[in-house]
Amino acid sequence: MAQTETASRPVKKAIFYGLVTVGLYAGVFAYADTIAAQFAQGALWAAGPIATVFVVSWCHGSFANNLWACLGVTASKRVQKRPAVQPVARPRVRATLNA
């Protein structure tokens, strides 16, 4: 007998990542001048904006994924297979001379 898989709703994860995302956005906007001055120093600090974007994007994406899962929106599990179609045999092309 097959077991049915019950989908758990990741409410705690959604709340956690939502709070982390809000904290990151609030921190970046509250200290924008300080962060910009630090990143403008050059050298390895130049990677700061890229790292910041990746962290914020990852946290926001995790929040959005868990929020959609809480709302019951998931990807379709069906896979449609195309029917196997045999290629049509075409007549062989012959060279002709129009004389």
Side-chain angles (χ1 to χ4, degrees), residues 15-74:
I15 292 172
F16 173 73
Y17 283 115
L19 292 174
V20 169
T21 302
V22 167
L24 286 171
Y25 277 119
V28 168
F29 284 121
Y31 299 104
D33 294 333
T34 306
I35 293 171
Q38 192 72 29
F39 290 163
Q41 290 181 0
L44 290 176
W45 288 108
I50 297 168
T52 303
V53 167
F54 277 129
V55 169
V56 171
S57 176
W58 183 74
C59 289
H60 188 270
S62 296
F63 164 69
N65 179 37
N66 289 313
L67 178 66
W68 285 118
C70 286
L71 296 175
V73 178
T74 57

Side-chain angles (χ1 to χ4, degrees), residues 22 34 76 82 92:
V22 167
T34 306
S76 174
R82 293 183 179 176
R92 188 171 180 184

